Amino acid sequence: MDSLPTSLMRPKLLTTLKTYSLVQLRADALAGLTVAIVALPLSMALAIASGASPDKGLVTAVVAGFLISALGGSRVQVGGPTGAFVVVISGVIAEHGYSGLVLATGMAGLILIGAGYAGLGRLMKFVPMPVVTGFTAGIAVIIASSQIGDFLGLDAGKVPAEFLGKWEAYFGALGTLSQATAIIGAGTLALILILKKLNPRLPGYLIGILVASVAVSWLALPVETVGQRFPDMPTSLPAPQLPVISLPMIREILPSAFTIAFLAGIEALLSAVVADGMTGYKHRPGQELVGQGAANLVSALFGGLPATGAIARTATNIRAGAKTPMAGIFHALFLLGALLVAGPLVAYVPMAALAAILLIVAWGMSEAERFKALMRMEAGERALLLLTFGLTVLVDLTVAIGVGVTLASLLFMARMSETTGLLGEDQSVEDPEQRAALPEGTEVFRIAGPMFFGVAGEMLDALNRIGRAPRAIILRFDRVPYMDSSGVNVLETFVRQAKGSGARVILCDMPPPVWDTLVRSSPRFAGAERVKTLASALSRLERVDPRSE
């Protein structure tokens, strides 16, 4: 694919700063503060759900959030850690340790930068909705499942990573349920939901963890807190350093790096599209991927997590009145201040309160309404949705995405093959007088639809069903938008068979791109004649008697 024009590879920040005003600065600062209040508890909760310490989530939100806004192609995109990465991150940490995750994050950043400059941002929109909804809903189920132990205070020991094994461990530990923990978890969950219903503008997540923290501390409740689980958690921005790199580790990490890059690209561009719909602006997909890539690369240098554009935080940013990418930069700066000033207070946050936040996040990710709507679609769409969902939950996210995209491609090709066909003489020649003037023994056929490997067999069968050996065959290509090497092979095979039966083959109305493909695939393709139009083909037949050749 061709690279993008230079005009489309420029950060939106540079565009907006040309006319930046004090009014916009005030609006962006207020919006940034609003989003930071939302992102503070969310970043910690997502980090813990991923198997990392809370400070890693805050570092990611600061570093990656700053760069996504500064270098991205969306005017109001806000980035940071998101729920989409939880499954991949926890898997990489479990198998390769945190150093392996840092390397995978950096590699994903390089992949995203390359994809952005290669113009692959335009291809992300072709990932089918059943695949996206399937793995997103699957991730939501996994996130919710991973929080049951903390939400109820279960002493289940080392809980397996597998979905079924996890629930088996939970059921086995029901006798260890902590009433105090369950009350704090349920109370936090109820408080956040009530605040959302009464006044969505209130920072429900932050209020929820503040109330829960105060309750546990003042009442001296036996509820595990962040400080008890992570006693050595740093409360400052670490110095950047290169991750441990080795060729064997790169080979092992590469599939996870591609998965992280794919998820980051998909979610970032989806979030940018949502932002466009809310604001009327238009994002630059290539530059957005470059910004996401730079953010992940630098996040890895600071020991952070993978990051991408966050739909919920971006929507909050817009509703709070954000005008330019400076809002996202202010959000990162406010979070940095919170990390440096209020970092020690994080130790008092109950794990059950963070679990309640993640249960709400998981429900939002599940997209239950869209899932139900897709279940009312045709059988192929339902199968694709359920297969991607089931593989995400029960097997592996990487497998789910690979199988889902592959199956979606096969379904698409099957549908395209149904739209490609061979139109007979009565449909190939619209002009009645021209149809009546066809020389005796001449057949005219129009190929309608792309000629690619998905339809090659059916096209050859259709061409062979002519049933008799005409003196001349005219093939019209004006309705063929695309031809691949399999289509060329079909055409070569047909021409060879037609000439073997004594028929003359003329190609006409062929678009230049299709003819170029034909020439490139078979430079010595001389089995058929080529003219510009049907009239030219008929004129050639009138001048030369096929039987005399």
Side-chain angles (χ1 to χ4, degrees):
M1 176 171 288
D2 296 335
S3 59
L4 293 174
T6 306
S7 60
L8 297 180
M9 298 303 297
R10 186 182 300 125
K12 275 297 181 79
L13 179 64
L14 297 181
T15 304
T16 57
L17 285 181
K18 294 178 181 179
T19 57
Y20 202 60
S21 65
L22 186 61
V23 173
Q24 289 177 315
L25 187 145
R26 285 197 297 265
D28 286 339
L30 181 59
L33 177 61
T34 303
V35 179
I37 292 172
V38 174
L40 178 64
L42 201 55
S43 300
M44 295 191 297
L46 288 168
I48 292 174
S50 303
S53 57
D55 62 293
K56 303 298 185 187
L58 292 175
V59 168
T60 305
V62 171
V63 175
F66 182 95
L67 290 174
I68 286 172
S69 294
L71 301 178
S74 175
R75 193 180 180 100
V76 288
Q77 177 94 281
V78 174
T82 68
F85 294 121
V86 167
V87 179
V88 181
I89 293 174
S90 58
V92 173
I93 293 177
E95 188 171 353
H96 304 287
Y98 197 80
S99 60
L101 173 67
V102 171
L103 180 58
T105 303
M107 290 169 62
L110 293 175
I111 293 169
L112 283 167
I113 292 173
Y117 281 112
L120 297 183
R122 292 171 289 179
L123 296 181
M124 294 291 186
K125 63 184 178 183
F126 294 116
V127 179
M129 188 53 63
V131 175
V132 176
T133 304
F135 73 68
T136 303
I139 292 171
V141 170
I142 294 175
I143 291 176
S145 299
S146 68
Q147 299 307 302
I148 299 302
D150 287 340
F151 189 78
L152 300 177
L154 301 178
D155 185 9
K158 186 172 177 58
V159 179
E162 296 79 14
F163 177 77
L164 297 179
K166 193 186 303 289
W167 279 98
E168 184 178 355
Y170 289 154
F171 283 121
L174 282 178
T176 65
L177 185 146
S178 167
Q179 290 186 353
T181 301
I183 290 173
I184 290 296
T188 304
L189 181 66
L191 177 59
I192 294 173
L193 293 177
I194 290 172
L195 290 175
K196 279 181 174 289
K197 189 173 182 63
L198 294 178
N199 190 347
R201 292 182 175 274
L202 290 175
Y205 291 152
L206 185 61
I207 294 174
I209 63 170
L210 285 176
V211 172
S213 301
V214 170
V216 170
S217 179
W218 282 4
L219 300 177
L221 297 176
V223 176
E224 185 181 25
T225 63
V226 170
Q228 291 172 345
R229 182 171 296 187
F230 304 100
D232 301 321
M233 184 185 73
T235 56
S236 62
L237 198 66
Q241 60 180 5
L242 288 174
V244 178
I245 303 175
S246 67
L247 190 58
M249 179 66 80
I250 290 176
R251 284 198 297 264
E252 293 178 12
I253 289 296
L254 190 58
S256 298
F258 272 105
T259 302
I260 291 172
F262 176 83
L263 290 174
I266 285 289
E267 187 157 1
L269 294 179
L270 284 175
S271 178
V273 169
V274 171
D276 289 350
M278 296 178 69
T279 62
Y281 296 117
K282 187 173 179 60
H283 74 284
R284 298 166 182 163
Q287 184 59 41
E288 185 61 31
L289 290 186
V290 171
Q292 299 290 334
N296 278 277
L297 185 60
V298 178
S299 178
L301 296 178
F302 280 87
L305 305 172
T308 184
I311 296 176
R313 273 161 275 175
T314 298
T316 301
N317 189 41
I318 295 169
R319 294 191 190 102
K323 303 299 181 184
T324 74
M326 284 300 300
I329 292 176
F330 278 124
H331 136 269
L333 295 177
F334 284 128
L335 284 176
L336 176 61
L339 176 64
L340 298 177
V341 176
L345 299 178
V346 173
Y348 296 97
V349 176
M351 296 299 299
L354 294 178
I357 291 175
L358 285 170
L359 288 177
I360 297 173
V361 170
W363 175 251
M365 283 187 66
S366 68
E367 296 188 279
E369 292 302 319
R370 178 173 292 170
F371 198 100
K372 289 189 291 186
L374 287 172
M375 286 299 295
R376 294 192 292 269
M377 300 296 286
E378 62 181 38
E381 301 263 330
R382 294 198 303 271
L384 186 58
L385 172 69
L386 294 176
L387 180 63
T388 308
F389 173 77
L391 289 175
T392 301
V393 174
L394 300 176
V395 182
D396 180 76
L397 178 60
T398 305
V399 174
I401 293 174
V403 172
V405 171
T406 301
L407 180 58
S409 302
L410 292 174
L411 287 173
F412 172 76
M413 286 185 287
R415 290 168 183 153
M416 287 299 295
S417 68
E418 295 172 359
T419 65
T420 303
L422 196 67
L423 304 181
E425 201 172 273
D426 56 338
Q427 296 173 286
S428 300
V429 185
E430 294 90 346
D431 186 350
E433 294 184 4
Q434 198 174 45
R435 190 183 307 129
L438 288 176
E440 182 181 355
T442 299
E443 298 283 354
V444 182
F445 294 93
R446 170 181 272 155
I447 302 172
M451 288 185 66
F452 67 111
F453 67 91
V455 302
E458 294 186 20
M459 286 298 301
L460 191 56
D461 291 342
L463 290 169
N464 286 332
R465 284 197 295 268
I466 292 176
R468 62 186 183 278
R471 297 170 61 189
I473 299 174
I474 300 175
L475 293 179
R476 304 185 66 186
F477 287 81
D478 58 319
R479 296 186 184 178
V480 178
Y482 169 76
M483 177 187 289
D484 68 1
S485 58
S486 297
V488 173
N489 184 65
V490 170
L491 188 56
E492 288 180 325
T493 301
F494 172 74
V495 170
R496 187 170 55 251
Q497 292 177 356
K499 290 182 71 67
S501 64
R504 180 181 180 181
V505 180
I506 301 178
L507 314 179
C508 68
D509 298 324
M510 184 173 287
V514 176
W515 175 250
D516 291 343
T517 300
L518 189 63
V519 173
R520 285 199 306 270
S521 300
S522 182
R524 291 182 292 181
F525 187 84
E529 305 168 53
R530 183 213 176 198
V531 297
K532 287 187 176 181
T533 64
L534 175 61
S536 301
L538 295 176
S539 176
R540 178 170 294 195
L541 287 175
E542 290 173 357
R543 289 198 306 267
V544 181
D545 183 358
R547 294 295 188 184
S548 67
E549 295 184 339

